[in-house]
Amino acid sequence: MSVLVVVECADGEVKKSSLEVASYGADVAAMLGTTATAIAVGEANEANLAKLGEQGITKVLYDAEPRLKDFVNNAYTKLIATAAEQESAKIIVLANSNIGAAVGSRLSVRLKTSLATNVVELPKISGDQFTVKRGAFSGKAFSDVVLSGDRKIIAVKKNSTEAKHEAGKTAEVASFSAQLGDADFADAPKQVVMQDQAGGILLPEADRVVSGGRGMKGPENWGLIEDLAKALGAATACSKPVSDVDWRPHHEHVGQTGITVSPNLYIACGISGAIQHLAGVNSSKVIVVINKDPEAPFFKAADYGIVGDVFDVLPKLTAAVKALN
Amino acid sequence: MKFLVCISNVPDTTTKIAFTPDNKEFNKAGVQFVINPWDEYALTRAIELKEAAGSGTVTVLNVGQADTEPNIRKALAIGADDAIRVDAVPQDAYFVAEQIAAIAKEGAYDVILMGKESIDYNGFQVHGMVGEMLGIPTVAPAMKLDMSGNTATLEREIEGGKEIVSVNTPFVASCQQPMCEPRIPNMRGIMTARTKPLKVVPAVGEPARTTVAEYALPPKKQGVKLIDAENAGELIKLLRNEAKVI
Ligand SMILES: Cc1cc2nc3c(=O)[nH]c(=O)nc-3n(C[C@H](O)[C@H](O)[C@H](O)COP(=O)(O)OP(=O)(O)OC[C@H]3O[C@@H](n4cnc5c(N)ncnc54)[C@H](O)[C@@H]3O)c2cc1C
Ligand SMILES: Cc1cc2nc3c(=O)[nH]c(=O)nc-3n(C[C@H](O)[C@H](O)[C@H](O)COP(=O)(O)OP(=O)(O)OC[C@H]3O[C@@H](n4cnc5c(N)ncnc54)[C@H](O)[C@@H]3O)c2cc1C
């Protein structure tokens, strides 16, 4: 019996959300009196995989098959299923990412497990009862879900748990082969196109987010958002109407019908705070609102606020951050 | 080409979420239900592809009780040809996926379209389960879907970019913006929807694998601390020294 953790890698680095998942998996293993093994997917680097020991992982399985660099649903599913069988894994933990969800849902059918996605906390285990807390109603609520059966898959929401770092601990990296063949790669993508990331920070994984709404008046003013984001090491985001009129790309749209984010810091600039927008951001730890209308609903959901004009306030904030560093 | 579009019946996006006093169930009182916003992309795109091909059918499918029928009719008014309702409480995602897989198999549908995720339970999982149950590919979440004969080309969103994927029918895809501009029903659609076939069938398969023990609302915020715009730099100090987030 063990816990199997799926870690996603890109350009040799383990993704931040996967460090959280590794830590989560190690904690679950400790609760169950067992150890956590990781299986790496994507373009991995063995030295970085060994460092997963810092998150409490004891062993990392790595299949050097080069076609596993990009996401291939069938191949990833078979790879992880094979690792789960080899390790007699009772619990599989993965990120609630586009990869994690795609693979987790297939694995749950193939391995006959129960599955909970969007999980925000460590499970409560009492006797046979295994309960996880997950986000529901698009950020407006939580539900405690009981997972049945003796095998379970948990997809952990990004930024909802913290990765621990126990410096100096290393994991054993073991080569592993799921004997994947051409048929397993039949659904491989024809092409992968990556966006230019402002400052290289991905919105879904970001610790800090600076977001703009219609109050920014037009795409030509986004430099103000980008300057503050850059100074803070933050990702940029926007409200739905902003992406609907193409001031910003769709992948920056947060909210109930966009992506939900839960950074440590969310700064909303010229966004009114409609219920659909709040749903996507209200699990952020600290919310700052800058709006010239003191009655803007967003202030009710905020921790800090400035009633003022974004064109006046944003440069001051950027300057203050630069002065701090 | 036979399209099967799966629609979920969800609380309107403006709904203030509340639960029954024991926190065991969602409180439906006074709540307006709509077609899950993501599923509207699936529905409209299926209709567009059928129209472009000049032939084919679009069937909508919901797993739910009779109270979902107004939204099934709405989907028919938007342009679906017929509908199936599996008459059951959607116990969990696995149970729902079993129903969809059984209908898809029986009706030999070529293209099974869903939304990216339901905005009430946020599972983001039914499409993968259905693909696995049927042994066919799932492309989720898809931002673009084009068909040429039996081959589909899709853009799949990945963190930080997209993949161009090509699959042959049958396949499952889950849809999101900017795939199309979701249509709204017109008068003629609403009239014809009344007489379009809506078949009600019983549930099949194994029981659910998960149960909700309890719901909870997020903790309330303490209240906002306002900083004078003249003194905006003060905010940055508070974020560092008080909130400790920068
Ligand atoms: C089905 C459905 C789903 C939706 N999903 C989403 C979603 O996922 N995400 C989302 O964001 N929205 C969503 N919406 C839209 C939502 O209802 C709001 O319309 C939207 O969030 C408003 O965007 P906004 O705050 O940028 O613009 P507005 O509401 O127009 O607000 C602009 C704000 O800027 C302020 N302002 C103006 N000028 C300045 C200035 N110079 N300085 C400072 N402040 C200024 C104004 O006081 C105002 O509060 C959805 C709507 C529907 C119907
Ligand atoms: C009264 C009630 C009780 C419930 N109790 C539980 C419970 O105890 N445990 C639990 O886990 N869930 C419960 N649910 C949630 C319900 O089972 C969900 O519909 C199911 O989990 C699928 O939602 P999802 O968020 O996982 O789907 P996702 O995977 O997010 O949905 C993806 C897509 O699948 C399609 N889809 C989803 N649901 C349906 C549907 N019903 N009919 C047709 N297509 C659909 C849509 O196209 C949707 O966009 C309950 C729901 C109701 C109404």
Side-chain angles (χ1 to χ4, degrees):
Chain A
M1 204 261 275
S2 76
V3 172
L4 184 69
V5 170
V6 180
V7 294
E8 298 176 25
C9 303
D11 303 324
E13 303 281 335
V14 177
K15 291 185 189 171
K16 174 175 167 278
S17 52
S18 286
L19 295 177
E20 294 162 7
V21 163
S23 208
Y24 184 105
D27 286 347
V28 174
M31 290 167 92
L32 296 170
T34 179
T35 55
T37 299
I39 171 93
V41 297
E43 190 176 4
N45 155 313
E46 293 200 20
N48 285 334
L49 292 180
K51 278 207 292 199
L52 283 164
E54 296 184 3
Q55 281 73 48
I57 299 292
T58 36
K59 183 168 76 176
V60 186
L61 306 177
Y62 176 47
D63 188 333
E65 157 68 54
R67 287 176 292 181
L68 286 168
K69 173 176 165 289
D70 291 322
F71 172 68
V72 183
N73 207 342
N74 251 329
Y76 278 35
T77 307
K78 188 166 166 188
L79 175 81
I80 299 161
T82 311
E85 298 293 4
Q86 176 187 303
E87 299 296 312
S88 313
K90 292 283 187 225
I91 315 268
I92 302 177
V93 188
L94 27 74
N96 199 54
S97 61
N98 286 352
I99 291 177
V103 176
S105 52
R106 288 196 95 97
L107 283 171
S108 75
V109 172
R110 197 171 299 185
L111 300 176
K112 299 191 169 53
T113 77
S114 52
L115 166 67
T117 58
N118 214 23
V119 170
V120 297
E121 271 178 16
L122 283 171
K124 290 188 190 74
I125 306 171
S126 100
D128 275 352
Q129 183 105 329
F130 194 102
T131 311
V132 288
K133 185 174 187 153
R134 60 183 300 275
F137 294 94
S138 300
K140 292 177 184 172
F142 296 99
S143 64
D144 283 343
V145 175
V146 180
L147 298 183
S148 69
D150 66 342
R151 290 168 125 190
K152 301 165 182 81
I153 302 182
I154 300 171
V156 183
K157 185 177 176 191
K158 292 172 188 175
N159 272 328
S160 58
T161 58
E162 213 153 309
K164 57 173 177 277
H165 287 275
E166 291 174 37
K169 284 177 79 180
T170 54
E172 171 208 348
V173 181
S175 76
F176 172 76
S177 172
Q179 311 285 344
L180 299 173
D182 287 348
D184 301 309
F185 290 93
D187 63 339
K190 298 270 168 290
Q191 197 192 345
V192 180
V193 186
M194 298 311 280
Q195 295 133 13
D196 271 344
Q197 292 299 324
I201 297 155
L202 283 181
L203 176 58
E205 308 235 336
D207 258 340
R208 299 166 196 149
V209 176
V210 183
S211 186
R214 262 204 308 230
M216 291 304 298
K217 303 284 191 281
E220 65 281 7
N221 299 323
W222 240 261
L224 293 173
I225 299 274
E226 281 162 355
D227 287 348
L228 179 59
K230 199 161 172 214
L232 285 170
T236 57
C238 67
S239 66
K240 179 172 187 285
V242 164
S243 68
D244 282 348
V245 296
D246 286 334
W247 290 0
R248 300 297 292 175
H250 274 284
H251 64 260
E252 284 200 0
H253 150 203
V254 296
Q256 192 157 6
T257 54
I259 56 169
T260 41
V261 293
S262 45
N264 287 329
L265 174 63
Y266 184 82
I267 305 185
C269 313
I271 304 178
S272 58
I275 188 165
Q276 299 97 344
H277 187 85
L278 293 181
V281 306
N282 66 7
S283 54
S284 310
K285 286 182 191 80
V286 171
I287 294 180
V288 174
V289 170
I290 305 160
N291 196 303
K292 68 175 184 191
D293 174 9
E295 302 297 322
F298 220 145
F299 284 117
K300 290 206 181 70
D303 299 285
Y304 297 95
I306 296 182
V307 179
D309 187 328
V310 283
F311 299 99
D312 164 49
V313 172
L314 281 173
K316 285 185 186 155
L317 295 181
T318 306
V321 176
K322 285 186 177 153
L324 209 59
N325 295 336
Chain B
M1 199 66 58
K2 289 182 73 178
F3 292 92
L4 182 66
V5 178
C6 306
I7 61 165
S8 175
N9 194 57
V10 300
D12 172 61
T13 58
T14 58
T15 307
K16 265 192 97 162
I17 301 302
F19 302 105
T20 51
D22 61 0
N23 284 326
K24 294 220 182 293
E25 271 175 60
F26 173 63
N27 188 348
K28 287 187 184 176
V31 172
Q32 169 91 24
F33 281 81
V34 295
I35 299 174
N36 185 38
W38 306 105
D39 305 354
E40 294 185 347
Y41 291 94
L43 176 61
T44 296
R45 192 65 191 137
I47 298 166
E48 287 175 356
L49 289 169
K50 178 194 120 172
E51 287 172 353
S55 68
T57 55
V58 176
T59 302
V60 285
L61 167 61
N62 170 260
V63 181
Q65 293 174 289
D67 59 351
T68 69
E69 289 197 4
N71 282 324
I72 299 179
R73 289 282 172 210
K74 185 177 171 199
L76 292 169
I78 290 170
D81 299 294
D82 61 347
I84 302 170
R85 179 170 67 82
V86 176
D87 186 27
V89 173
Q91 294 164 20
D92 80 344
Y94 179 79
F95 175 85
V96 169
E98 282 183 310
Q99 312 310 317
I100 296 173
I103 303 266
K105 198 168 178 181
E106 193 185 289
Y109 290 92
D110 303 295
V111 180
I112 302 154
L113 296 185
M114 304 187 190
K116 175 192 172 189
E117 70 179 51
S118 77
I119 63 162
D120 51 1
Y121 293 92
N122 304 109
F124 191 19
Q125 56 190 341
V126 170
H127 22 77
M129 289 177 172
V130 171
E132 182 71 18
M133 286 170 183
L134 295 172
I136 60 177
T138 294
V139 182
M143 303 188 288
K144 206 170 168 201
L145 164 61
D146 290 309
M147 302 272 317
S148 152
N150 289 331
T151 305
T153 305
L154 301 106
E155 280 183 16
R156 173 177 185 275
E157 183 174 62
I158 53 174
E159 279 82 4
K162 63 186 176 191
E163 292 175 353
I164 318 293
V165 190
S166 156
V167 291
N168 290 333
T169 59
F171 67 90
V172 181
S174 76
C175 308
Q176 68 168 58
Q177 81 274 27
M179 182 174 282
C180 57
E181 192 54 52
R183 293 187 188 178
I184 50 172
N186 58 26
M187 212 47 216
R188 202 176 141 262
I190 295 168
M191 300 301 289
T192 54
R194 290 190 194 148
T195 53
K196 286 181 179 171
L198 191 171
K199 195 164 77 179
V200 179
V201 302
V204 297
E206 297 164 37
R209 290 177 176 177
T210 63
T211 40
V212 176
E214 195 174 77
Y215 292 99
L217 294 173
K220 283 230 168 3
K221 286 273 179 188
Q222 297 295 311
V224 59
K225 190 176 218 174
L226 288 178
I227 294 104
D228 195 8
E230 292 308 307
N231 212 354
E234 185 60 24
L235 170 68
I236 300 302
K237 289 195 191 119
L238 287 169
L239 292 178
R240 169 154 298 181
N241 301 325
E242 189 178 83
K244 299 189 167 54
V245 288
I246 61 173

